[in-house]
Amino acid sequence: AESAAQSCARIFHDWVKARGGTQAYEMEEAKQRLQMLIAQHGSSRFETPWGCRSDGDTTSVQDARIINRAGFKRLNSNDEWEYFIIPAVFEKEVIGGLQNTAVKTYLVDCGLLVKDRAGKFSEVIKVPGHKSLRLYHVPARVLDGDAGGDHADS
């Protein structure tokens, strides 16, 4: 028969597994917010100033009006969309009151945010039709089912 301590340990282990690990819940919440921003608004709130082809040909750029712009997107060399999010949007819709530096560090560790060469969380990007802008670079893997790997401590 299982002792009370063993029962408690088993129940706790099951709860941690169901919760998704022992990391701070707000880290997972921020990851989900980022993924939802891209999943829900990747087509409507992100301008494609580099065109719709990875070879730089801009003939297929749509002149669609972007309402409530979240940032920009471009195709990488694998023909996958990568996203560049405006800081104010990132701070409000992804960070949204969570621990700023801790969340950004977690997203970098998950491979969902790219630091610049100087180690800053955002990059200066020359956006066609705009001046150089400091933006948060989110790689194409953001919508992968296993994006961010398994950070569970189980």
Side-chain angles (χ1 to χ4, degrees):
E2 192 173 53
S3 73
Q6 290 171 322
S7 293
C8 287
R10 181 182 48 78
I11 291 168
F12 178 73
H13 183 270
D14 291 348
W15 174 79
V16 168
K17 186 176 180 181
R19 182 183 178 275
T22 59
Q23 74 280 357
Y25 185 75
E26 66 181 17
M27 301 304 158
E28 274 305 304
E29 183 179 342
K31 182 171 115 178
Q32 290 172 3
R33 287 180 187 180
L34 176 61
Q35 291 171 321
M36 287 297 288
L37 173 65
I38 302 302
Q40 290 181 332
H41 305 291
S43 295
S44 62
R45 293 181 59 199
F46 290 86
E47 181 183 344
T48 55
W50 293 278
C52 294
R53 294 175 34 179
S54 58
D55 62 8
D57 182 354
T58 59
T59 57
S60 59
V61 173
Q62 297 176 357
D63 290 327
R65 186 170 167 209
I66 305 295
I67 307 290
N68 196 18
R69 180 186 324 277
F72 307 91
K73 65 181 180 179
R74 72 176 173 203
L75 286 171
N76 63 20
S77 59
N78 295 323
D79 282 334
E80 300 169 321
W81 290 112
E82 55 185 2
Y83 298 86
F84 300 89
I85 303 175
I86 296 167
V89 173
F90 191 88
E91 300 297 330
K92 181 178 181 186
E93 297 186 32
V94 176
I95 302 295
L98 303 176
Q99 296 177 24
N100 192 323
T101 302
V103 165
K104 290 175 186 174
T105 299
Y106 178 75
L107 292 174
V108 168
D109 291 346
C110 289
L112 299 178
L113 187 63
V114 179
K115 283 186 172 184
D116 74 357
R117 291 186 178 137
K120 293 184 178 180
F121 290 111
S122 57
E123 299 180 55
V124 174
I125 305 289
K126 174 58 181 131
V127 180
H130 302 271
K131 60 182 182 176
S132 291
L133 302 170
R134 184 161 283 283
L135 302 166
Y136 290 98
H137 180 184
V138 177
R141 70 186 308 263
V142 68
L143 294 179
D144 290 353
D146 63 346
D150 184 12
H151 279 36
D153 298 331
S154 47

